[in-house]
Amino acid sequence: MEPRPRSFYVLATFFTLFLLFLYGPTLTIAILSFQGPSGGLTFPMKGVSLHWFHDLFQQQAVGDIWGSFRRSFVLGLMVMITTVIVSVLGGLAFRKRFAGSGIIFYLIITSLVIPSILVSLGVGLIWSQSGLPVHWSTSGFGAQLTWTLPFGLLIMFAVFNRFDKSYEEAARDLGASPWQTVRFVVLPIIAPSLIGVALFGFTLSYDEFARTLLTSGSYNTLPLEIFGMTTNVTSPVIFALGTLTTLFSFGVIGLFLLIFWRIDRRRKAQGSDAGNGLA
Amino acid sequence: MASPLALILTAFLVAPIIMIVIVSFWGATEFSIYPAFQFDNYAFLFGSDVTYRVFFNTFKYAAITWAFTLVIGFTVAYFLAFHVRSLKWQIALFLLCTIPFWTSNIIRMISWIPFLGRNGLANATLVSWGVIDEPLDWLLFSDFSVILAFVHLYTLFMVVPIFNTMMRIDKSLIEAAVDAGATGWQTLRYVVIPLTKPGIMIGTIFVVTLVMGDFITVRFMSGSQSANVGRMIQNDIGLLQYPSAAATAVILLATVLIVIGILLRFVDIRKEL
């Protein structure tokens, strides 16, 4: 290997500082969530304990953390499944130009860049003016989809732009019906990217605050609950909650990576038989 | 096959925007809103000093945050794309950058408090080093902390598209530049930056729109002492002044779309996917 130029070391230092900047604050609250019972929101640590985690599992004076966690989790799954299905269908549709494809494309971009609070306000207004009660599983669900779908679709666009169409032609030549081609050729090939879409769908929904603000009704989702706590709670219990939700996010990423890895491995095991032919 | 997509976008994107435009002409009492067709909301908005100050503040936050995220994002992406040699390490380091993105924004904002507060780590360290005698008050609940949080939250939106375009640059172009006698800076200036422009534009669109529409970071990190347009809308909503909130929202939307329209002139977004 040729020696590294000096710029490498400068840039590597910069990159390390950037990582410190990204992780530092979160690590700080992770440490502070182990404050002793008499400790406060900042250093110094007054002892080390699990007091604030314990506190979190007690009946809370304000709010309903576990109820809101459950709602966020269910909503995240709903959004995830819908995002995957609609993104795949949309991605398949966009492989050909169809009537209105230009309009829909620009709507997707608009959906991505429109300030969240406008979606929240608009959906909230429609619901209240038509006399429907806003609820996280209806208005909140729809409002979140305007945020997760663009990401899902952009991933699908990128995937299909690099998709080798000769696989489908081969399937057709062998007499596969269009449905069989999708089911047995296209879907298995794009499966790893679908895990990415699912991960985006779930976590974007799970964290979404602004679009759920006016559309979730009287039952809070977790981000709304945490937001409420920031104005009421002045003890490290909120750091404990922060640490737990961060760990939960890591768990979710880990799970998706595991699924990704399993699919990848199975694919390699079944493998391609190219080159193993008649020789 | 695109119909579920079209349906969802119509119901939850187009219809809400139309609703906001309609309601922006309505009237409001202290407790309720009523259908009308009047320009009062807009007249009030354009007649008020506050509006212009708040819009100015919004652009200020967007511009400063954009400059920081661009420089940091470009440098980080450049390091990953051109200095890290194996694909495995590139992916690993890239994932390392994206992990914090999956934690709640609000949690990431709260986590600055023990850092920047009057008795926080930053002040304690600076005092103990003798750099300052008294804790700095402007570290938290100031424009400084707002922009710091923006950079912290949104730099990734710059790193991802820039990294993505850089990875697609044919490395032989760089070799050709070096062979032709270009210095490192010249290669960067005349080869890498022009080829990375689409990624920069997409990142810019993300960062600018996220910052312009944000209201929670501003509220949180400024300690409610500064405002941007998003905050103004949220205030009106809090006071149940929906028509006035809607009018502000229409102007914000128009502003954002104009900015995007200008940025899209520099990049064919369909080609970049």
Side-chain angles (χ1 to χ4, degrees):
Chain A
M1 270 216 208
E2 48 185 311
R4 301 281 196 182
R6 205 178 45 186
S7 58
F8 170 80
Y9 296 100
V10 176
L11 287 171
T13 314
F14 185 89
F15 182 75
T16 315
L17 288 175
F18 176 67
L19 284 184
L20 263 177
F21 171 65
L22 278 187
Y23 285 84
T26 321
L27 286 178
T28 314
I29 68 158
I31 296 169
L32 281 171
S33 58
F34 293 98
Q35 268 285 17
S38 61
L41 284 168
T42 53
F43 288 101
M45 297 283 282
K46 292 184 178 150
V48 174
S49 74
L50 290 173
H51 176 83
W52 303 105
F53 289 95
H54 184 72
D55 212 45
L56 199 60
F57 286 86
Q58 305 299 306
Q59 185 64 42
Q60 292 296 310
V62 281
D64 167 22
I65 293 170
W66 299 105
S68 62
F69 170 73
R70 213 172 44 239
R71 285 187 282 276
S72 274
F73 191 77
V74 174
L75 181 58
L77 289 180
M78 286 165 57
V79 170
M80 177 182 93
I81 293 167
T82 316
T83 305
V84 170
I85 295 174
V86 177
S87 303
V88 171
L89 289 174
L92 286 170
F94 265 95
R95 299 171 78 192
K96 294 194 201 81
R97 287 207 176 265
F98 56 92
S101 65
I103 296 173
I104 296 188
F105 180 78
Y106 280 103
L107 279 182
I108 294 166
I109 302 296
T110 311
S111 192
L112 194 66
V113 300
I114 188 173
S116 328
I117 190 155
L118 297 196
V119 175
S120 202
L121 175 63
V123 174
L125 281 172
I126 290 182
W127 249 255
S128 67
Q129 289 306 306
S130 45
L132 296 162
V134 283
H135 191 272
W136 56 268
S137 67
T138 55
S139 46
F141 171 65
Q144 288 196 346
L145 285 178
T146 60
W147 180 229
T148 59
L149 279 180
F151 281 98
L153 282 159
L154 290 183
I155 296 176
M156 290 327 298
F157 289 168
V159 168
F160 281 125
N161 272 352
R162 290 163 185 66
F163 191 88
D164 186 348
K165 287 205 169 82
S166 50
Y167 290 114
E168 281 166 286
E169 277 165 33
R172 261 198 306 277
D173 290 346
L174 290 170
S177 68
W179 165 244
Q180 284 174 321
T181 311
V182 170
R183 167 72 186 78
F184 294 106
V185 177
V186 179
L187 282 184
I189 292 177
I190 63 172
S193 328
L194 294 188
I195 295 166
V197 176
L199 180 61
F200 263 94
F202 183 84
T203 46
L204 288 177
S205 154
Y206 179 73
D207 280 345
E208 181 52 33
F209 173 79
R211 281 172 209 250
T212 334
L213 185 63
L214 300 169
T215 56
S216 76
S218 38
Y219 296 104
N220 276 348
T221 58
L222 193 61
L224 293 169
E225 196 67 34
I226 294 172
F227 183 71
M229 284 180 77
T230 58
T231 49
N232 296 320
V233 179
T234 49
S235 71
V237 72
I238 192 161
F239 292 162
L241 181 59
T243 305
L244 275 191
T245 54
T246 304
L247 284 179
F248 178 78
S249 299
F250 283 1
V252 171
I253 306 173
L255 185 71
F256 278 95
L257 284 179
L258 192 73
I259 300 174
F260 182 83
W261 178 72
R262 292 271 315 248
I263 290 185
D264 198 48
R265 206 179 53 156
R266 201 167 52 191
R267 179 176 298 180
K268 285 210 179 97
Q270 291 174 348
S272 140
D273 56 359
N276 300 331
L278 295 169
Chain B
M1 277 187 285
S3 49
L5 177 64
L7 216 68
I8 291 171
L9 290 177
T10 312
F12 291 98
L13 183 73
V14 180
I17 293 175
I18 295 173
M19 189 69 188
I20 289 176
V21 175
I22 295 173
V23 172
S24 71
F25 294 102
W26 286 14
T29 67
E30 249 174 83
F31 320 99
S32 66
I33 58 179
Y34 56 89
F37 186 71
Q38 52 187 27
F39 288 90
D40 297 20
N41 302 312
Y42 289 101
F44 179 78
L45 212 55
F46 284 110
S48 158
D49 251 11
V50 179
T51 313
Y52 298 101
R53 273 212 307 278
V54 168
F55 264 90
F56 174 76
N57 224 12
T58 309
F59 283 116
K60 184 183 79 184
Y61 284 145
I64 300 176
T65 310
W66 173 75
F68 276 105
T69 52
L70 176 62
V71 172
I72 299 173
F74 185 89
T75 315
V76 167
Y78 184 84
F79 172 71
L80 289 177
F82 293 113
H83 279 282
V84 179
R85 280 169 180 160
S86 79
L87 184 67
K88 206 185 251 172
W89 272 101
Q90 280 176 328
I91 294 175
L93 291 178
F94 177 73
L95 281 180
L96 206 58
C97 295
T98 57
I99 286 174
F101 171 74
W102 304 111
T103 345
S104 159
N105 277 2
I106 301 173
I107 299 287
R108 289 171 69 199
M109 272 180 249
I110 304 170
S111 57
W112 279 109
I113 292 172
F115 234 87
L116 300 176
R118 219 186 133 73
N119 303 313
L121 269 184
N123 270 325
T125 314
L126 289 174
V127 168
S128 73
W129 284 353
V131 180
I132 47 171
D133 300 324
E134 297 233 317
L136 302 169
D137 282 325
W138 53 263
L139 285 183
L140 190 60
F141 303 140
S142 59
D143 278 355
F144 170 78
S145 54
V146 172
I147 288 165
L148 186 74
F150 276 142
V151 173
H152 189 227
L153 293 174
Y154 299 143
T155 300
L156 189 75
F157 286 91
M158 203 56 113
V159 175
V160 173
I162 296 182
F163 177 64
N164 189 31
T165 24
M166 277 181 179
M167 289 294 278
R168 279 194 257 162
I169 296 179
D170 188 345
K171 296 280 187 296
S172 53
L173 290 175
I174 310 230
E175 273 168 42
V178 175
D179 289 346
T183 63
W185 279 114
Q186 284 173 323
T187 316
L188 188 69
R189 167 80 184 74
Y190 295 104
V191 181
V192 178
I193 292 181
L195 289 174
T196 314
K197 220 161 92 189
I200 294 177
M201 284 304 156
I202 293 175
T204 302
I205 290 174
F206 266 119
V207 170
V208 169
T209 52
L210 282 167
V211 173
M212 286 189 70
D214 189 286
F215 58 96
I216 159 162
T217 313
V218 175
R219 181 200 141 151
F220 213 89
M221 298 306 286
S222 79
S224 293
Q225 291 178 41
S226 327
N228 68 346
V229 184
R231 270 293 281 153
M232 201 156 112
I233 296 173
Q234 201 210 0
N235 266 340
D236 277 339
I237 291 172
L239 300 168
L240 302 179
Q241 298 298 306
Y242 290 108
S244 150
T248 317
V250 169
I251 297 174
L252 173 63
L253 181 62
T255 320
V256 168
L257 290 182
I258 291 170
V259 172
I260 301 298
I262 295 171
L263 290 173
L264 282 182
R265 311 216 109 206
F266 297 100
V267 51
D268 179 358
I269 203 162
R270 286 192 88 146
K271 230 177 67 196
E272 291 311 320
L273 297 169

